[in-house]
Amino acid sequence: MSTTPTADLALPITDPELEQRLRSRLAVIEKDLAGHTQSRSRFVTEAASHLLEAGGKRFRPLLVLLAAECGPDAGAPEVLTAASVVELTHQASLYHDDVMDEALLRRGENTANARFDNNVAILTGDFLFAKSSELTAQLGPDAVRIQAEAFSRLVEGQILEGISPEEGVDPVDHHLEVLAGKTGSLIATSARYGALFSGASPEIQDALVAYAEIVGVAFQLSDDILDIDSDSDESGKTPGTDLREGVPTLPVLLARRSADAGDARLLELLDSDLTDDAALAECVALLRAHPALAEARAYVQARAEEAKAALAPLSEGPVRAALEAFADAVAVRSV
């Protein structure tokens, strides 16, 4: 039996038989996704398949498949359809995200808004949402309700990201609510679908949903830490990118709580124009030395432990081991 996590799967799978099943089903899903982006118009097909062809980890469909292993019918057609549903929803949200962020690159390729224009990108995202809805309807009313609730939370999280916290709301709590909506909701739905359509018990479904919601937010919070503390050679991320763009991250929000007079320079920099390379470098250095970074890291590690604890109803075995290993990886990730 292999003891090394598979390098090119989004989740660390160490059981060869499980790995082979997941790879085989992912290959089917990949073909299905290519089919779902087809349109009567060649141009629409090109725009709709643009991000899919750029690659991606396919974490959400993989989580559907892995959660399905907890039920008696892991290979049910509905499981594969549900995997396409969550990936199409995710892809659609990326089109809209890139327009809102005025992003030019994703996965090393031009974004749809850069390659085409904003109108095409927005409408292509709508097209993919529609395709996802068509597939969800095939899965029945429960799936429609679950998808609608997740989509509502996703959009609400996206809206909240662009506004300041309401009066009396802790900025950290606001940030966590944004991430729970934008990321946690669809990842939790992925786990729910896999367990539901494979026939897993309600107890197992609830355990997987709780795990996925927590670990999804923790993964995004680890991105917050990487923005400050990453090694660009190892992670491929340029430290301070979010900081320069004024995007709230957990270490920054925690540092802003400081009443220490010694943090005056850091707080001054956080409120300044960080497009200047020297100012950005100084701010990153101060944040790396600040207790807020260690506090943020401890928070993510605690959430990873909480996610693993949620898996208690699952039997010991390769599925639970993979989910626990992923939570551990999130807590200490550098890429």
Side-chain angles (χ1 to χ4, degrees), residues 33-41 44-45 48-49 127 131:
L33 288 169
H36 297 319
T37 58
Q38 298 298 303
S39 164
R40 290 171 293 181
S41 162
V44 174
T45 298
S49 61
F127 175 79
K131 288 291 185 178

PDB file of all heavy atoms in Angstrom, residues 33-41 44-45 48-49 127 131:
ATOM      1  N   LEU A  33     -18.241  17.484 -17.980  1.00  0.00           N
ATOM      2  CA  LEU A  33     -18.132  18.937 -17.890  1.00  0.00           C
ATOM      3  C   LEU A  33     -17.904  19.554 -19.266  1.00  0.00           C
ATOM      4  O   LEU A  33     -18.481  20.598 -19.598  1.00  0.00           O
ATOM      5  CB  LEU A  33     -16.991  19.328 -16.950  1.00  0.00           C
ATOM      6  CG  LEU A  33     -17.237  19.080 -15.461  1.00  0.00           C
ATOM      7  CD1 LEU A  33     -15.948  19.256 -14.669  1.00  0.00           C
ATOM      8  CD2 LEU A  33     -18.313  20.022 -14.926  1.00  0.00           C
ATOM      9  N   ALA A  34     -17.078  18.911 -20.061  1.00  0.00           N
ATOM     10  CA  ALA A  34     -16.843  19.413 -21.422  1.00  0.00           C
ATOM     11  C   ALA A  34     -18.145  19.423 -22.217  1.00  0.00           C
ATOM     12  O   ALA A  34     -18.422  20.355 -22.982  1.00  0.00           O
ATOM     13  CB  ALA A  34     -15.796  18.562 -22.120  1.00  0.00           C
ATOM     14  N   GLY A  35     -18.966  18.405 -22.000  1.00  0.00           N
ATOM     15  CA  GLY A  35     -20.250  18.359 -22.688  1.00  0.00           C
ATOM     16  C   GLY A  35     -21.223  19.403 -22.201  1.00  0.00           C
ATOM     17  O   GLY A  35     -21.978  19.983 -22.985  1.00  0.00           O
ATOM     18  N   HIS A  36     -21.194  19.675 -20.909  1.00  0.00           N
ATOM     19  CA  HIS A  36     -22.138  20.632 -20.338  1.00  0.00           C
ATOM     20  C   HIS A  36     -21.843  22.072 -20.750  1.00  0.00           C
ATOM     21  O   HIS A  36     -22.704  22.946 -20.579  1.00  0.00           O
ATOM     22  CB  HIS A  36     -22.136  20.529 -18.811  1.00  0.00           C
ATOM     23  CG  HIS A  36     -22.593  19.202 -18.298  1.00  0.00           C
ATOM     24  ND1 HIS A  36     -23.659  18.512 -18.838  1.00  0.00           N
ATOM     25  CD2 HIS A  36     -22.126  18.424 -17.266  1.00  0.00           C
ATOM     26  CE1 HIS A  36     -23.829  17.383 -18.174  1.00  0.00           C
ATOM     27  NE2 HIS A  36     -22.918  17.306 -17.228  1.00  0.00           N
ATOM     28  N   THR A  37     -20.655  22.336 -21.243  1.00  0.00           N
ATOM     29  CA  THR A  37     -20.321  23.707 -21.661  1.00  0.00           C
ATOM     30  C   THR A  37     -20.593  23.927 -23.150  1.00  0.00           C
ATOM     31  O   THR A  37     -20.313  25.016 -23.667  1.00  0.00           O
ATOM     32  CB  THR A  37     -18.838  24.019 -21.382  1.00  0.00           C
ATOM     33  OG1 THR A  37     -18.008  23.072 -22.066  1.00  0.00           O
ATOM     34  CG2 THR A  37     -18.541  23.960 -19.890  1.00  0.00           C
ATOM     35  N   GLN A  38     -21.147  22.929 -23.791  1.00  0.00           N
ATOM     36  CA  GLN A  38     -21.446  23.065 -25.224  1.00  0.00           C
ATOM     37  C   GLN A  38     -22.687  23.925 -25.455  1.00  0.00           C
ATOM     38  O   GLN A  38     -23.651  23.867 -24.696  1.00  0.00           O
ATOM     39  CB  GLN A  38     -21.665  21.687 -25.866  1.00  0.00           C
ATOM     40  CG  GLN A  38     -20.448  20.778 -25.810  1.00  0.00           C
ATOM     41  CD  GLN A  38     -19.278  21.345 -26.557  1.00  0.00           C
ATOM     42  OE1 GLN A  38     -19.361  21.650 -27.750  1.00  0.00           O
ATOM     43  NE2 GLN A  38     -18.161  21.504 -25.855  1.00  0.00           N
ATOM     44  N   SER A  39     -22.632  24.718 -26.497  1.00  0.00           N
ATOM     45  CA  SER A  39     -23.747  25.573 -26.891  1.00  0.00           C
ATOM     46  C   SER A  39     -23.974  25.430 -28.391  1.00  0.00           C
ATOM     47  O   SER A  39     -23.111  24.933 -29.113  1.00  0.00           O
ATOM     48  CB  SER A  39     -23.424  27.036 -26.543  1.00  0.00           C
ATOM     49  OG  SER A  39     -24.281  27.925 -27.211  1.00  0.00           O
ATOM     50  N   ARG A  40     -25.126  25.883 -28.851  1.00  0.00           N
ATOM     51  CA  ARG A  40     -25.363  25.915 -30.301  1.00  0.00           C
ATOM     52  C   ARG A  40     -24.424  26.904 -30.974  1.00  0.00           C
ATOM     53  O   ARG A  40     -24.136  26.796 -32.171  1.00  0.00           O
ATOM     54  CB  ARG A  40     -26.815  26.299 -30.583  1.00  0.00           C
ATOM     55  CG  ARG A  40     -27.825  25.212 -30.200  1.00  0.00           C
ATOM     56  CD  ARG A  40     -29.242  25.724 -30.302  1.00  0.00           C
ATOM     57  NE  ARG A  40     -29.500  26.766 -29.292  1.00  0.00           N
ATOM     58  CZ  ARG A  40     -30.665  27.382 -29.144  1.00  0.00           C
ATOM     59  NH1 ARG A  40     -31.670  27.076 -29.947  1.00  0.00           N
ATOM     60  NH2 ARG A  40     -30.816  28.291 -28.210  1.00  0.00           N
ATOM     61  N   SER A  41     -23.923  27.853 -30.199  1.00  0.00           N
ATOM     62  CA  SER A  41     -23.003  28.852 -30.717  1.00  0.00           C
ATOM     63  C   SER A  41     -21.566  28.452 -30.394  1.00  0.00           C
ATOM     64  O   SER A  41     -21.236  28.172 -29.239  1.00  0.00           O
ATOM     65  CB  SER A  41     -23.298  30.226 -30.094  1.00  0.00           C
ATOM     66  OG  SER A  41     -22.209  31.103 -30.258  1.00  0.00           O
ATOM     67  N   VAL A  44     -20.075  30.863 -27.778  1.00  0.00           N
ATOM     68  CA  VAL A  44     -20.504  30.621 -26.394  1.00  0.00           C
ATOM     69  C   VAL A  44     -19.783  29.403 -25.826  1.00  0.00           C
ATOM     70  O   VAL A  44     -19.336  29.410 -24.672  1.00  0.00           O
ATOM     71  CB  VAL A  44     -22.029  30.446 -26.317  1.00  0.00           C
ATOM     72  CG1 VAL A  44     -22.460  30.054 -24.902  1.00  0.00           C
ATOM     73  CG2 VAL A  44     -22.740  31.722 -26.746  1.00  0.00           C
ATOM     74  N   THR A  45     -19.644  28.360 -26.633  1.00  0.00           N
ATOM     75  CA  THR A  45     -18.912  27.174 -26.199  1.00  0.00           C
ATOM     76  C   THR A  45     -17.474  27.521 -25.841  1.00  0.00           C
ATOM     77  O   THR A  45     -16.940  27.086 -24.814  1.00  0.00           O
ATOM     78  CB  THR A  45     -18.925  26.094 -27.289  1.00  0.00           C
ATOM     79  OG1 THR A  45     -20.277  25.692 -27.544  1.00  0.00           O
ATOM     80  CG2 THR A  45     -18.110  24.875 -26.868  1.00  0.00           C
ATOM     81  N   ALA A  48     -17.499  29.481 -22.566  1.00  0.00           N
ATOM     82  CA  ALA A  48     -17.915  28.666 -21.422  1.00  0.00           C
ATOM     83  C   ALA A  48     -16.875  27.631 -21.030  1.00  0.00           C
ATOM     84  O   ALA A  48     -16.796  27.228 -19.866  1.00  0.00           O
ATOM     85  CB  ALA A  48     -19.244  27.981 -21.725  1.00  0.00           C
ATOM     86  N   SER A  49     -16.081  27.186 -21.979  1.00  0.00           N
ATOM     87  CA  SER A  49     -15.064  26.167 -21.696  1.00  0.00           C
ATOM     88  C   SER A  49     -13.708  26.781 -21.372  1.00  0.00           C
ATOM     89  O   SER A  49     -12.756  26.066 -21.059  1.00  0.00           O
ATOM     90  CB  SER A  49     -14.924  25.215 -22.882  1.00  0.00           C
ATOM     91  OG  SER A  49     -14.526  25.914 -24.049  1.00  0.00           O
ATOM     92  N   PHE A 127     -24.572  31.691 -17.976  1.00  0.00           N
ATOM     93  CA  PHE A 127     -24.813  30.490 -18.788  1.00  0.00           C
ATOM     94  C   PHE A 127     -24.437  29.230 -18.000  1.00  0.00           C
ATOM     95  O   PHE A 127     -25.191  28.242 -17.979  1.00  0.00           O
ATOM     96  CB  PHE A 127     -24.003  30.587 -20.080  1.00  0.00           C
ATOM     97  CG  PHE A 127     -24.062  29.363 -20.959  1.00  0.00           C
ATOM     98  CD1 PHE A 127     -25.152  29.120 -21.775  1.00  0.00           C
ATOM     99  CD2 PHE A 127     -23.012  28.458 -20.977  1.00  0.00           C
ATOM    100  CE1 PHE A 127     -25.204  27.996 -22.596  1.00  0.00           C
ATOM    101  CE2 PHE A 127     -23.040  27.333 -21.799  1.00  0.00           C
ATOM    102  CZ  PHE A 127     -24.147  27.105 -22.606  1.00  0.00           C
ATOM    103  N   LYS A 131     -26.689  26.089 -16.685  1.00  0.00           N
ATOM    104  CA  LYS A 131     -26.380  24.684 -16.943  1.00  0.00           C
ATOM    105  C   LYS A 131     -26.371  23.881 -15.648  1.00  0.00           C
ATOM    106  O   LYS A 131     -26.878  22.753 -15.584  1.00  0.00           O
ATOM    107  CB  LYS A 131     -25.028  24.563 -17.650  1.00  0.00           C
ATOM    108  CG  LYS A 131     -25.023  25.022 -19.089  1.00  0.00           C
ATOM    109  CD  LYS A 131     -25.844  24.071 -19.956  1.00  0.00           C
ATOM    110  CE  LYS A 131     -25.780  24.424 -21.421  1.00  0.00           C
ATOM    111  NZ  LYS A 131     -26.552  23.473 -22.260  1.00  0.00           N
TER     112      LYS A 131
END
